[in-house]
Amino acid sequence: MEAARIISLFLPLCFLKVADTTAINPCCYYPCQNNGVCVNVGMEDYECDCTRTGYYGVNCSSPFFWSRVRKFLKPSSRFMHHALTHYKWLWYIINNFSFVSDTLMRLVLTVRANIIPSPPTYNSDSTYLSWEGYSNISYLTRLLPPVPKDCPTPTGTRGYKTLPDAKELANEFLLRRKFIPDPQGTNLMFAFFAQHFTHQFFRTDLKRGPGFTKALGHGVDLTHIYGDSLERQHHLRLFKDGKLKYQVLDGGVFPPSVKDAPIKMKYPSTLPEGKRLAIGHDTFGLVPGLMMYATIWLREHNRVCDILKEEHPTWSDEQLFQTTRLILTGETIKIVIEDYVQHLSGYHFKMSFNPELLFTEHFQYSNRIAVEFDHLYHWHPLMPESFIVKDQEFSYKDFLFNTEILLNFGVEALVESFSKQHAGQIGGGRNIHHSLLPVAIALIEHGRLLRLQPFNEYRKKFGLSPYKSFQELTGETEVAAKLEKLYGHIDALEFYPALILELPHKNSIFGESMVEMGAPFSLKGLLGNPICSPDYWKPSTFGGKTGFDIVNTATFKKLICLNVKKCPYVSFHVPYDVDNDGESKERKTSTEL
């Protein structure tokens, strides 16, 4: 305790930006290392709880023997990224030996998922553990507690007492000057899939505050397909053969209109009622890309219902519907891991969806969405300057709330067009379209209301070395100098701006932190789904071998091609013969339609 008092008295001398000489909460200095928990003692003292961290000492900075060994043997994240994205010949061999690849996949899942605490820990209303934080699922959980309210600066003790203006920050560092395509070749099919998939669980309840959620499922529950309430689900159901309502237009199956499925959807009043389509998520009428995926999943649901009906003619409508929903949940998770995450990672190691890999591990089948995961996943730089469908160009104004694009062109045309159009690079900064910049500004302001800890504290939480300078973060000098002038110190840099401004990996869509922080949240959420547990993961859950096979053989390409008349080019990657300039040489504008 005496050593702790000496440290708490000495630390203020190290932070010359803080002029206030009054007593400072010592936890504002984040003295506890290696996941140690800081607890106030008395008026000016603290102690670090090092329980089960593998470290000891006043600040949990001294490793026990085995912690020292593990730290010595553990390869750095940069080494692992290099190894996984190079030596394609070696990974080809590994991928063809199931025992080796399964062992590696199990290691990936356990190491990543174990970073995320389960049960959940903090919420945005307190800096300590509480029963309310655990039991009230209307809260988004927190990986790190909020910055204490009595700290000298908004991020603790470093930097200035006032953070830079969010609007000026976004305009200077996030606003696009020129479209920067993702060097991995990511396309708009990926961009819209990311948005469609994540918005089933990223649903901030802004009426209550940015620390609350309306998505009480906290994971892959397909509420974006079936609705977030029983009443909404019933309006969308046909109540025959387990199917969802639909309409047929020019021989194609599309979601019903709000007239046939009277649910609340967010459309402008100027849009004719017949063009207002009814789907699970109330805001997905915003973008044709989201409505395209809603149509594909609607068709897939009804397709699977037909298969189950033929195999189980005695089943009720309810059993057909509920079993189909479980099958689509399994399909979603498999596609996300084996197609979506695989593409995102750029790894040569072939990722696989096999819940049985975790059956011998200590793994909890539950999940809570974290505030940090929600903020991390704001990937607005993916969106291009305009949208190209069959060589016709649509501005944001013409694209938004335009359901006619889907109805007139059809799913096949949208899939092929979006598969061939480049998405933007997420990392590196200055790549958010001006139409989407207000969303980024609001997110930065929400992070401040939530008192998110500074970026370097999250780096440490995920086992990464904190950045020592803005230049190390950005990989250049001009932007780094401007950031230092605004923030005063790298340890004062905020969470979301840092993720977007971090230097991307070579030929990659974003940088080290986005990968190392995003992967644990993603894999824990996916494999923590109930259908992945030993009691659920069996053929009978999915209606027998036929339904189980649908899940186990699902791919992104099959999802599309089984639900269109003619299979177009389908991928999360643009064709290799498409120029990497984000432009189309010959196209018509939307006014020429």
Side-chain angles (χ1 to χ4, degrees):
M1 290 299 297
E2 185 62 31
R5 292 191 185 94
I6 293 172
I7 291 173
S8 67
L9 291 171
F10 173 77
L11 281 173
L13 300 177
C14 302
F15 303 101
L16 299 180
K17 297 290 182 184
V18 181
D20 195 349
T21 58
T22 60
I24 296 173
N25 178 351
C27 292
C28 294
Y29 295 103
Y30 312 114
C32 305
Q33 305 302 303
N34 302 301
N35 295 319
V37 178
C38 186
V39 180
N40 291 98
V41 177
M43 296 300 292
E44 301 177 19
D45 215 341
Y46 75 97
E47 63 182 20
C48 292
D49 184 351
C50 307
T51 305
R52 287 181 290 278
T53 64
Y55 290 78
Y56 66 95
V58 173
N59 295 325
C60 307
S61 56
S62 301
F64 289 109
F65 174 75
W66 287 113
S67 296
R68 193 184 301 273
V69 172
R70 282 194 295 270
K71 186 175 182 180
F72 175 77
L73 294 176
K74 182 182 177 182
S76 70
S77 64
R78 292 179 184 179
F79 171 83
M80 288 304 302
H81 181 83
H82 176 83
L84 288 163
T85 54
H86 292 74
Y87 316 113
K88 190 173 183 179
W89 62 270
L90 176 62
W91 290 111
Y92 176 81
I93 296 173
I94 291 173
N95 291 332
N96 282 280
F97 283 90
S98 59
F99 173 77
V100 179
S101 60
D102 284 351
T103 300
L104 287 176
M105 191 66 199
R106 183 185 296 109
L107 183 63
V108 168
L109 294 174
T110 52
V111 170
R112 296 290 197 185
N114 285 341
I115 295 174
I116 307 302
S118 184
T121 49
Y122 304 100
N123 66 24
S124 296
D125 279 349
S126 57
T127 59
Y128 51 86
L129 296 183
S130 66
W131 186 256
E132 180 72 4
Y134 162 74
S135 62
N136 189 343
I137 62 172
S138 66
Y139 279 106
L140 291 160
T141 189
R142 297 276 293 254
L143 197 63
L144 291 179
V147 176
K149 291 182 178 179
D150 55 353
C151 291
T153 71
T155 54
T157 57
R158 294 287 200 180
Y160 303 112
K161 291 190 175 182
T162 303
L163 289 167
D165 180 79
K167 186 177 293 186
E168 293 179 6
L169 182 71
N171 279 315
E172 176 63 30
F173 300 105
L174 305 184
L175 178 64
R176 177 178 295 160
R177 275 63 170 172
K178 181 182 178 182
F179 176 68
I180 306 170
D182 169 40
Q184 284 182 214
T186 299
N187 60 25
L188 290 193
M189 282 299 286
F190 177 92
F192 289 130
F193 187 96
Q195 191 176 8
H196 187 270
F197 166 70
T198 60
H199 277 63
Q200 63 187 297
F201 45 80
F202 290 152
R203 301 196 69 182
T204 306
D205 189 351
L206 293 178
K207 290 183 179 179
R208 298 186 65 183
F212 292 88
T213 180
K214 294 182 286 186
L216 302 184
H218 282 274
V220 181
D221 56 9
L222 306 194
T223 51
H224 60 324
I225 298 173
Y226 301 108
D228 57 359
S229 69
L230 192 60
E231 179 186 9
R232 190 175 183 89
Q233 178 197 117
H234 284 180
H235 280 304
L236 291 169
R237 286 177 61 178
L238 188 62
F239 286 105
K240 181 180 180 182
D241 298 335
K243 293 186 176 183
L244 295 171
K245 290 180 180 176
Y246 62 94
Q247 60 176 319
V248 178
L249 300 172
D250 294 329
V253 172
F254 294 94
S257 69
V258 293
K259 181 179 180 181
D260 295 324
I263 58 175
K264 184 178 180 181
M265 292 290 297
K266 295 181 180 179
Y267 288 112
S269 58
T270 54
L271 189 68
E273 188 178 67
K275 304 298 182 182
R276 301 182 191 185
L277 304 182
I279 56 176
H281 199 295
D282 61 351
T283 65
F284 277 6
L286 174 69
V287 181
L290 298 178
M291 193 62 76
M292 172 196 69
Y293 273 115
T295 303
I296 291 167
W297 282 112
L298 163 67
R299 294 178 181 182
E300 177 66 4
H301 176 94
N302 288 351
R303 185 187 76 86
V304 172
C305 282
D306 285 336
I307 294 172
L308 290 180
K309 175 68 175 178
E310 183 175 353
E311 183 140 326
H312 305 284
T314 62
W315 277 14
S316 66
D317 166 76
E318 189 67 22
Q319 187 168 4
L320 289 168
F321 172 82
Q322 298 295 349
T323 304
T324 297
R325 181 170 183 169
L326 290 177
I327 291 173
L328 264 65
T329 302
E331 287 187 82
T332 297
I333 296 173
K334 188 172 189 293
I335 290 169
V336 168
I337 291 176
E338 296 190 2
D339 289 296
Y340 176 85
V341 175
Q342 183 75 59
H343 168 81
L344 196 63
S345 69
Y347 294 165
H348 294 311
F349 171 59
K350 188 176 180 180
M351 304 185 75
S352 62
F353 172 50
N354 183 2
E356 294 181 14
L357 294 176
L358 295 176
F359 286 178
T360 58
E361 305 292 329
H362 295 289
F363 188 81
Q364 295 191 0
Y365 293 94
S366 62
N367 190 57
R368 283 277 289 279
I369 298 300
V371 162
E372 296 94 342
F373 189 34
D374 187 356
H375 282 224
L376 174 150
Y377 231 113
H378 278 68
W379 292 350
H380 299 296
L382 285 170
M383 290 294 108
E385 283 296 281
S386 58
F387 303 89
I388 315 302
V389 181
K390 301 295 285 185
D391 292 331
Q392 298 180 25
E393 184 172 7
F394 294 86
S395 67
Y396 276 69
K397 180 182 177 182
D398 295 326
F399 196 67
L400 300 183
F401 293 113
N402 191 344
T403 58
E404 289 191 19
I405 292 176
L406 171 68
L407 299 177
N408 292 344
F409 286 99
V411 171
E412 293 92 333
L414 266 61
V415 168
E416 187 158 21
S417 296
F418 294 152
S419 292
K420 294 180 179 179
Q421 185 172 0
H422 280 273
Q425 186 177 44
I426 297 171
R430 294 179 174 173
N431 204 23
I432 298 180
H433 190 275
H434 66 86
S435 298
L436 299 172
L437 199 66
V439 183
I441 294 169
L443 187 70
I444 294 170
E445 292 172 341
H446 290 165
R448 296 172 180 181
L449 287 172
L450 294 165
R451 308 197 316 279
L452 290 181
Q453 290 192 23
F455 182 62
N456 265 342
E457 293 305 309
Y458 283 100
R459 292 269 301 176
K460 290 189 283 186
K461 177 66 178 178
F462 284 91
L464 304 171
S465 299
Y467 283 116
K468 297 177 182 178
S469 68
F470 288 99
Q471 186 170 347
E472 184 184 8
L473 170 82
T474 62
E476 54 79 81
T477 56
E478 181 184 352
V479 170
K482 292 180 179 179
L483 285 169
E484 186 163 14
K485 185 177 180 180
L486 285 176
Y487 282 98
H489 198 284
I490 186 65
D491 287 341
L493 183 59
E494 298 169 273
F495 180 70
Y496 178 70
L499 283 168
I500 297 298
L501 293 172
E502 184 179 39
L503 177 68
H505 284 299
K506 184 178 181 181
N507 296 322
S508 182
I509 194 167
F510 40 50
E512 176 187 47
S513 300
M514 192 78 82
V515 175
E516 297 301 316
M517 296 179 188
F521 285 123
S522 297
L523 294 175
K524 176 62 175 71
L526 292 167
L527 273 299
N529 194 281
I531 72 160
C532 299
S533 67
D535 286 329
Y536 275 70
W537 187 252
K538 57 185 77 171
S540 57
T541 300
F542 307 96
K545 182 180 182 301
T546 300
F548 203 34
D549 285 345
I550 293 174
V551 174
N552 283 313
T553 61
T555 67
F556 179 61
K557 186 171 183 178
K558 283 181 67 175
L559 172 68
I560 304 298
C561 293
L562 289 174
N563 291 291
V564 294
K565 294 178 180 178
K566 182 180 179 181
C567 187
Y569 171 77
V570 179
S571 178
F572 285 142
H573 192 288
V574 294
Y576 289 98
D577 58 351
V578 171
D579 291 336
N580 190 27
D581 61 0
E583 298 289 337
S584 178
K585 294 179 180 179
E586 295 182 7
R587 64 181 66 145
K588 300 176 184 178
T589 64
S590 58
T591 57
E592 295 179 89
L593 287 174

